[in-house]
Structures are given as C-alpha cells and as structure tokens.
Amino acid sequence: MDGTLTEAKLKALAGTRSFERGQGYLDAVTGVEIGDGWITASVHGTERYEVELSLEGPQGATGACDCPYGLEGNFCKHLVALGLTVLAQQSTLPRQRESARSRARNLDAWLSALSKDELLALVREQVGQDRQLRRRLEVRAAGARGDLAEVRARIRELLDIGPFAQYGYVEYADARAYAAQAAQVVAAIDAVTDAGRADEAIDMTVQAIRLLDEAVESVDDSDGWLGEIGAGLAEAHLNACRAARPAPEALASRLVKHALGNADSICDIDPLDYEDVLGERGMTALRKLAVDAWRKRRAGWAEKSLMERLAKAGGDIDLLIAVHAADLAANGHTHLVIARELDAAGRPDEALRWAERGIRETPDLATVDTDLVDHLCERYAQAARLADVVALRREHFGARRSLRAYQQLRAAARTAEFWQDERPAALALLRTEAERGTPRRYGGSVLVDALLDDKDDEAAWEAASHCGADDRQWLELADRVRTARPADALAVYRRLAEPFIGETGNAIYEQLVGLLVSIRECHHLLGTQDELTAYIAALRGAHGRKRNLMRLMEQHGL
C-alpha cells in the first residue's frame, strides 16, 4: 500500500484543482474502514458521500465516490480527502491491514463451524436481501445442474450493456458495475465444466468471447476491468478443453482461426498454452496451419505474430529469422530485430551482417531507424573499428543533417581523434543548407545550433547574422554574447520583447519580464541607465492597467 498510495499519486489521479480542494475536507472524513487492499469512509460536503479507494486494481489505485462529480468517473476532492487522511495514519496502516486480515480469518472460522442447515439459512437470508448475489447464484446453479439453455440465455443477459448504457454507451461511472455483472459469466462456464459438460462449456466460452468483444466497443474500460474478464474467459476455455479433450486436429484448427481472425479480441487465447491438450498430433497440425496461413499472407500481423511465437517456443532461430526476413521494413528496423535475435542466439557474425545489410538496403539514410545506426556503431566500437564508426556517423549525418546526428558524428570523431579534420566538412555541409534557406519543420538553422553546441559563440552569431536564425536561437545567442557585445544583445532583447508587450496573460508576462531583466543588464553594461528608465516608464504608462504585469515588474525591481 505504501508504494501505491502517495500524495503525488493522489495529485496525479485528481488533478491540481481537486487535490487542492480535497485538502480542505480533511475534517469532513468519518467512519474510515481499512481493509486488505481497500479503504471506505464517509465524507461530509453539501451532502454525505460514500467513498472507496481500491489500492490494488488492474491500473493501481482507483477510487469511487457517489458525489455528482465522482459519478462521472472523476477522482474527486472527497477521494483526495480520504487518501490524505489515510496517509496521515501511515504508521498504523500495517496494523490496520493485519486487523482486517484477522477479521477475515475469524469470519472464515465462524462460517466453517456452522452446520449445513445453518449455512443454508444464512445464504437464503442473504439471497433474499441482495439481488445481485441471487442472480450470481442462479447462473451458477443453472451451470451445475446442466441447464445449458438457461446458462446460454444468462450469458447473453449478463453481457448485455443495455441496462448500463443510457445513451447506447457505458460511461466510466457505470463500467465497474457492468464488469462486476459480466464477470459472473466466467463462474457460470466453470460450473458447466465442473458438471461434466466441458464440450458445451467450450462453445459457451466462444459465444461469451464474441459478445464481450462486441460490448468492449461501447464501454469506457479505462480501468481495465473487462480485460480481466477476457483473461478469465481465456482460462475458462483452456480448462474446458483440458476436461473435454477435443480432437487435436479440430482444436488446432479452431485455435489458429481464433488467433488469426480475432487479433483485436480482448480475450487473448494463445494456442501455445494448449500444448498439453493438443499433444504431438495437435501441435504438428497447429504448426502446419500456422505456416500455411503465413505463406499466404507473410506481411499479416497476426500471421507473423503466431509464427514468431511458435519459432521462439521451439527454439528455432532460423525459422524466426525467415519470418522476419519475409517482410523487411524499408527503414531497416526489421534488420535490427533480426540482428538482435542473432546476437541473443550467440551468432554475432551473422548479426553484424544483417545490421550492415539494413544500412545498405535503406534507400534513404534520412529515414533509417536510428536505433539500427546506433546498434551498428556500438558493434563497430566493440571491435575497435573506430574508423568505421566515424564513416557511418558521417554518412548518416550527411543524410539527416540534424543537430543530433552532428553531435553523434562529433563524439565518434573525437573518440577516434578525427574531429579536427572532420568538423570543417560537417559545418560546410550545414552552411550550404543554411544558405539555401532549406525549410525545417522545427526550429531554426542547424548550423547555428551546431555552433552553439560547439560553444563557438562568435561563429554562431556570424552564422545567424548571415544565414538567419529563429527567436529561440537569437535569445540563446544574446544570452551568450551579452557581456562581450551588450549593444547587439540589447537589440535582440528589444526585438523579442515587442510582440509580448501588447499581449496579456501571466505566461506572457513572465516571458516579457525575463526579457526586461536582460534589457536592464545590457543597459548597465553600456552605462545607459537613463535610456532604460525612459523605456520602463513608457512601458508602465502604456500598460499600467495590467496589474499582474506591474506586480511582476515590481518583484524584479523594474
């Protein structure tokens, strides 16, 4: 629990606003009950709300509250208040959890001591009071007595989203209740298997998976509850197959059909889990069916995935390589996957050849998977082939001409003690691109960035003046040269400040004041304090109504 529930986690779940509001409700939390993985309490706001924190759900800590905001699926201020209350009792949490476990053990001991008639009376009493419990037991009873028509009807009913979908969609607030109902399907199918009707249980599982897959499209399952039900159905199907022992070839056919035709199913039925049921005959049939399907559609994701799992399960590295090699990505990514598999199999020479082939077969190195370049450079470095590292980095930089590629070339060339010879050609390439005015998707000239990264500030300033730079680069340049060239830096700061002066908003004001502080520093260096005073006075006169701006300027002595 300590690792799951923290103030940071509460703030992430609730958001800053709800977290801050929840801090004001600490005195409103009453009736805290701590169990083994859950916490409940009442929180008094405009009304009394019941809240519950679940600490060990599929997505970690989650919460539910019956306030209007909580019913919409939000982690509300009342949940924050409960979480903070529990965190304040951090030192007592282990004792309280142990107390909850002790109560559970005592209850189990008491139930175990009851006679059959006493237990029946207790169950009947609860069934009469709890409609959901009654429905759960009814569907289990139908499965146990082999009333297959009733079980099939109840499966359809339990997976029907209608009662939970006011507008044809199950909202987050209702998803958990729907999942609790849908989960009863797994118990019903297990009951049919236990009743000796495993063949029918297999068919029921297939029906339930189809209905659940249809339902998923209309349920906000952000917390993953339906995923747990899907896993439960997969286990129920496997258990039924182990009990029924269907014909191996027929089962293999159905498993392959599901794996290839239901790749997006929430129920992950992995054919390899059925090896003990299929036996040698079934596994042989399974492999043949998988290979035949893959040969017909080598680029199919489901076909490739099944073949890869079969190859790995059988330790057949050559088959695995053949599957990958049949559908090579144009950017060399698949070559990298193959190289890594071969490395893991202890075949480094073949791995290296595949990595080099990936570079050769990529039509444009500007689009190559950069992980492939990094992988190959790492292998060259391990073999002390430093000249090859530099050559590959040079080739990659020539194609991409990005700051990152420049940095990697520089690092490689320095290691090989080539950088003094390599740098002029690299900068010349960037200078030619900058002079052409080649548009970039993000930021200004790479030449300026590269020179800044080299800490060659004067050359960067000259490049920016000659070839152009964006505002980010000019700001960094001004900061770098401010002491040596205050007049030039001042001109940059004044220009960058102008667009902000007419705008509003606290974020804008912070940027503007940051520039004004730099402008003040330049005037101090130039000895032109009177000019600064006049500039600030004019700014205050024109924008005095912007109280937040004026307050921020005062804080910085402007």
Side-chain angles (χ1 to χ4, degrees), residues 305-316:
S305 176
L306 179 56
M307 286 296 296
E308 287 172 22
R309 298 204 308 279
L310 282 168
K312 287 182 178 180
D316 192 340

Side-chain angles (χ1 to χ4, degrees), residues 105-427:
R105 288 193 295 268
N106 291 337
L107 175 60
D108 184 68
W110 175 69
L111 290 172
S112 299
L114 294 177
S115 68
K116 177 181 177 181
D117 289 340
E118 289 171 326
L119 280 172
L120 283 173
L122 180 62
V123 171
R124 286 171 180 143
E125 177 187 346
Q126 294 302 311
V127 166
Q129 297 174 358
D130 189 333
R131 184 169 63 92
Q132 289 298 327
L133 175 61
R134 175 176 55 77
R135 293 179 67 188
R136 288 198 297 271
L137 293 180
E138 284 174 350
V139 71
R140 290 195 185 191
R145 68 175 180 269
D147 189 346
L148 304 183
E150 173 67 12
V151 175
R152 291 182 187 278
R154 293 306 299 273
I155 287 175
R156 289 192 294 271
E157 179 184 331
L158 291 169
L159 293 173
D160 179 16
I161 67 169
F164 301 87
Q166 185 176 0
Y167 304 106
Y169 186 83
V170 181
E171 303 288 346
Y172 176 86
D174 299 312
R176 188 172 183 180
Y178 170 73
Q181 173 179 294
Q184 299 171 36
V185 170
V186 178
I189 292 172
D190 285 339
V192 172
T193 298
D194 293 340
R197 307 294 294 274
D199 284 331
E200 287 83 356
I202 294 172
D203 293 337
M204 289 177 183
T205 310
V206 173
Q207 173 198 10
I209 291 171
R210 177 178 57 79
L211 292 173
L212 184 62
D213 282 339
E214 292 173 0
V216 166
E217 301 298 323
S218 303
V219 179
D220 182 351
D221 188 36
S222 300
D223 287 337
W225 301 108
L226 298 190
E228 287 197 335
I229 297 171
L233 286 174
E235 186 175 355
H237 185 268
L238 178 56
N239 290 336
C241 288
R242 282 174 173 158
R245 293 289 168 174
E249 292 86 352
L251 177 59
S253 178
R254 289 197 297 270
L255 291 173
V256 170
K257 183 177 180 181
H258 178 86
L260 301 185
N262 301 80
D264 296 327
S265 175
I266 196 169
C267 183
D268 182 18
I269 292 181
D270 188 346
L272 272 66
D273 291 339
Y274 291 72
E275 186 171 2
D276 61 319
V277 182
L278 290 166
E280 187 175 342
R281 279 173 50 205
M283 287 302 295
T284 298
L286 178 70
R287 282 188 285 268
K288 183 179 185 306
L289 289 167
V291 170
D292 289 345
W294 170 66
R295 284 174 175 167
K296 292 176 182 176
R297 191 166 175 261
R298 293 175 186 261
W301 180 88
E303 289 80 1
K304 287 168 57 180
S305 176
L306 179 56
M307 286 296 296
E308 287 172 22
R309 298 204 308 279
L310 282 168
K312 287 182 178 180
D316 192 340
I317 184 66
D318 291 316
L319 176 59
L320 182 60
I321 300 309
V323 173
H324 288 310
D327 184 35
L328 295 171
N331 69 345
H333 174 73
T334 319
H335 297 79
L336 174 61
V337 171
I338 293 173
R340 286 173 171 167
E341 293 286 358
L342 288 166
D343 271 330
R347 293 158 64 172
D349 293 342
E350 294 174 76
L352 182 62
R353 287 195 292 272
W354 269 101
E356 291 175 329
R357 178 179 163 184
I359 297 295
R360 289 196 309 271
E361 293 183 357
T362 299
D364 181 0
L365 274 186
T367 64
V368 73
D369 185 341
T370 55
D371 285 343
L372 173 60
V373 177
D374 293 343
H375 174 88
L376 190 51
C377 285
E378 182 180 336
R379 291 297 178 272
Y380 285 154
Q382 289 172 352
R385 295 171 57 180
L386 300 184
D388 289 332
V389 177
V390 173
L392 180 54
R393 290 298 188 193
R394 182 192 306 123
E395 187 178 1
H396 188 225
F397 167 71
R400 290 183 69 89
R401 296 184 296 281
S402 67
L403 175 60
R404 178 60 179 157
Y406 179 83
Q407 292 169 329
Q408 290 173 324
L409 172 60
R410 182 181 62 199
R414 280 178 174 170
T415 300
E417 300 182 352
F418 291 168
W419 184 231
Q420 190 171 9
D421 296 329
E422 198 73 35
R423 183 173 184 255
L427 291 176

